[in-house]
Amino acid sequence: MSRSHEVTPLVTNRAMGKPLDIGRTAFVVFSICTASLLAGCFGSKTYPNTFDKNLHVHTVTDSGSWFSRVRAAVDIHRVGGDCALNYEGTVQLADSKIDIGIPPHRWSYLVFVFGSSSFFANRSGTITYGTLLKARPNYHYDVAVRYKDDMYHVGIRETLPNQSAGREIEPLELSACRSSSGRK
């Protein structure tokens, strides 16, 4: 009995003396997680986006939980004559619609990056989807980017302005550049 007597005052004292400890701890953990997420977003070079806007990205992300977050971005690389990649910058896909200008007549390598993190499960991960794209002059490229419940989808449709019909662009791996440059 004396043992339960020692425990009871400790619980009562904690409940009465420091009711905000859990709230403060949660706030500190939340602040640290938010700061680390923001640091990750600002660590990359921003794409200059100075070309005519021919890539129209429509983004929908849903982590499936109030306690987790999904971020999407696209890394844009210039593909050289020897198929070497030169990183040009990143566009954060934070808005549901973003217009990007990629230069026509040359290969670009687009890498869509999905980053997910959970505040309370101490879990984070990154999924990437890369494809070569050679934009044609006067064409527009509608890109559907979706992430929901750990599944992603990227689809690209090429159309002429003022036309609804177009064609789906099949994803091309970087190795396709090597095979097409050998034919020239």
Side-chain angles (χ1 to χ4, degrees), residues 1-15:
M1 266 204 144
S2 67
R3 187 172 230 175
S4 66
H5 178 68
E6 292 173 10
V7 173
T8 304
L10 189 64
V11 171
T12 305
N13 186 18
R14 182 175 179 159

Side-chain angles (χ1 to χ4, degrees), residues 56 138-140 142 159-166:
H56 310 288
N138 302 322
Y139 279 80
H140 289 249
D142 289 314
T159 59
L160 275 169
N162 302 323
Q163 290 188 359
S164 60

Side-chain angles (χ1 to χ4, degrees), residues 83 107 132 172-184:
C83 296
W107 287 106
L132 280 170
L172 290 175
E173 294 183 15
L174 189 56
S175 60
C177 170
R178 290 174 180 76
S179 63
S180 69
S181 64
R183 287 186 230 142
K184 289 182 180 179

Side-chain angles (χ1 to χ4, degrees), residues 49-55 100-103:
N49 207 10
T50 56
F51 295 99
D52 288 338
K53 308 304 183 250
N54 55 356
L55 193 72
I100 304 170
I102 59 171

Side-chain angles (χ1 to χ4, degrees), residues 22-23 26 32 34-35 38 44 58 72 94 133 135 139 145 148 172:
I22 294 172
I32 290 170
T34 302
L38 290 175
S44 57
H58 304 270
L133 179 66
Y139 279 80
V145 176
K148 183 173 181 172
L172 290 175

